[in-house]
Amino acid sequence: MATFIYVLLMVVIFGLLVTVFWFFKFFASFSSLIFTSHATARGTWDVATGGFISLFRVLRHTGNRDATNALLRNAMFLIGSFAVTMGAALLLVELNSTHCVLNMIQTASDGTVTVICGDSR
């Protein structure tokens, strides 16, 4: 069981890195569409809605189909990697609290120590 818990720990660490990577890819594709919609903003309603109408105009435009698909793909992978990472983290905490492979000790700011697993040195 200890090997499985250590593998889960590595999956969680790697999953966090993958989630950060997909967040930056999603942010880049979203900001690209935001800048495109800002360049095409026109009229009173675009200004009144903060460019929201022009963002939907850019998303619906057939010339931006690749950018829209990239945005959806990046959002899907971001949500998926986050879900898998958090599921592995929950499983890691649950298994470790049962089998006590990794020390889980929490010290509060007032000095009280909460020991879930391990010794309270």
Side-chain angles (χ1 to χ4, degrees), residues 4 15 26 46 52 56-57 71 77 83 87 101-103 112-113 117:
F4 185 65
F26 173 76
D46 281 343
F52 229 46
F56 288 122
R57 188 182 306 120
L71 177 70
F77 281 120
V101 174
L102 304 171
N103 287 336
T112 58
V113 176
C117 211

Side-chain angles (χ1 to χ4, degrees), residues 26-36:
F26 173 76
F27 184 72
S29 59
F30 187 71
S31 62
S32 171
L33 283 173
I34 291 292
F35 293 141
T36 304

Side-chain angles (χ1 to χ4, degrees), residues 15-103:
L16 288 174
L17 294 174
V18 169
T19 301
V20 167
F21 169 76
W22 282 110
F23 172 75
F24 283 125
K25 288 211 34 138
F26 173 76
F27 184 72
S29 59
F30 187 71
S31 62
S32 171
L33 283 173
I34 291 292
F35 293 141
T36 304
S37 67
H38 179 68
T40 61
R42 58 184 187 272
T44 308
W45 284 108
D46 281 343
V47 174
T49 61
F52 229 46
I53 293 175
S54 59
L55 176 65
F56 288 122
R57 188 182 306 120
V58 167
L59 285 173
R60 283 187 306 121
H61 195 272
T62 56
N64 295 327
R65 187 66 54 211
D66 291 336
T68 303
N69 289 341
L71 177 70
L72 294 174
R73 181 184 63 241
N74 292 339
M76 179 186 67
F77 281 120
L78 173 65
I79 292 169
S81 66
F82 181 76
V84 168
T85 302
M86 290 303 109
L90 288 173
L91 184 62
L92 173 69
V93 169
E94 180 63 32
L95 286 176
N96 191 48
S97 64
T98 304
H99 298 285
C100 287
V101 174
L102 304 171
N103 287 336

